[in-house]
Amino acid sequence: MLIFLTVLDFPVWRHVPVEAVMVNAYYAESLELSAEFRGKLWVDSGGFQAITRGEVLPLPYVLYSYRQVRAEAYMAPDVPPLPSDPPEAAEQKMELSYRRYVEASRELEVVPVVHVYRDLSLTWRYAKRYLDLSPQVLAVGGAVPYLLNKAEGGAGLVYRFLEELRAEYKGWIHVLGAGAPTVAKRLAEIGVDSSDTAAWIVKAAYGKVLLPCGPERHVTGRAKRFGGKAITQEELEELENFLRRTGFSYSLRPCIVKHWCRAVLNAWVIQYYTHTNGRSCQKQD
């Protein structure tokens, strides 16, 4: 499975040989990607970030941002429903997403986005509308809040829908925002073709590094946030050996105290997972 690194305003490809990048429409123009990046480039509309702030980005703004970057794929300018939305509100957002997809498609080829919602019959109602159009690529959005809510079976809901979708649809499936290694292994087993993740830089901001194959560990003395264990001396040595063996450019001990270098390290680990397709991974807690 191909994992895109979600990039906001940090050009990670200057430090890591990145194969695929997903950029947000907010930042795509300022990154000058067409001049600097040579890998696979997709662009996301920023719909999830906008809706969590109570915004809906104007369609002309999104399309203008898209036209500034030469990419292989542009995600439809969607309006994702939240798990807390009542069914009528969720359906309104799905309908608005569909209308924006149709309108955007008149000016630019965009990838349709179907949204996971706790009532999968509603999700399927819109999925079938997109499938009737025979898209080459179908994106699945709104999955991350459910994947994070393991206590209430949210991850199972996502995986069940993806299994059903894979059985129904033979094209390329991309799951938005769910490319962290701990989730990517399950997505690959289902037959998902690609996903993207900002975990490499988000975890770094909280003082964490990703160990090869997925577990995250705290490496700074700052207060622990969002769970996770402190790295052990044995894990630190194993990580150091892995980085040395795979040709990482920076020394581990000085690197982990710097936010940007932790982010580069995490991106390196995710790229390792992508290149080996998870074959070298052992289950870790």
Side-chain angles (χ1 to χ4, degrees), residues 137-189:
V137 180
L138 180 65
V140 176
V144 171
Y146 295 95
L147 291 168
L148 295 176
N149 190 12
K150 297 178 182 179
E152 297 183 13
L157 181 85
V158 173
Y159 297 143
R160 184 166 73 253
F161 170 68
L162 291 173
E163 287 169 351
E164 294 172 356
L165 180 64
R166 181 73 288 170
E168 179 82 13
Y169 173 61
K170 305 309 178 186
W172 187 284
I173 297 176
H174 181 90
V175 182
L176 290 163
T182 48
V183 175
K185 184 175 186 296
R186 182 71 182 100
L187 297 183
E189 291 170 350

Side-chain angles (χ1 to χ4, degrees), residues 111-130:
V111 175
V113 182
V114 61
H115 298 102
V116 175
Y117 181 64
R118 61 178 187 263
D119 179 358
L120 287 184
S121 65
L122 181 56
T123 296
W124 266 111
R125 191 187 313 165
Y126 281 85
K128 289 176 180 177
R129 292 175 73 176
Y130 291 120

Side-chain angles (χ1 to χ4, degrees), residues 29-72:
E29 183 178 2
S30 62
L31 283 171
E32 299 180 353
L33 286 158
S34 58
E36 296 186 40
F37 181 63
R38 294 290 181 262
K40 184 181 291 292
L41 172 62
W42 289 11
V43 186
D44 180 57
S45 71
F48 182 76
Q49 292 86 351
I51 201 67
T52 54
R53 294 196 294 264
E55 302 174 351
V56 175
L57 294 177
L59 188 58
Y61 170 83
V62 176
L63 292 175
Y64 171 80
S65 298
Y66 281 0
R67 292 190 187 99
Q68 309 312 304
V69 181
R70 182 176 299 174
E72 295 183 26

Side-chain angles (χ1 to χ4, degrees), residues 74-106:
Y74 304 88
M75 300 298 106
D78 61 329
V79 184
L82 301 174
S84 57
D85 287 337
E88 59 273 15
E91 183 165 9
Q92 287 174 358
K93 290 177 180 178
M94 290 185 185
E95 181 64 27
L96 180 57
S97 294
Y98 181 79
R99 292 178 181 177
R100 283 162 64 92
Y101 162 72
V102 171
E103 187 173 348
S105 295
R106 296 190 182 109

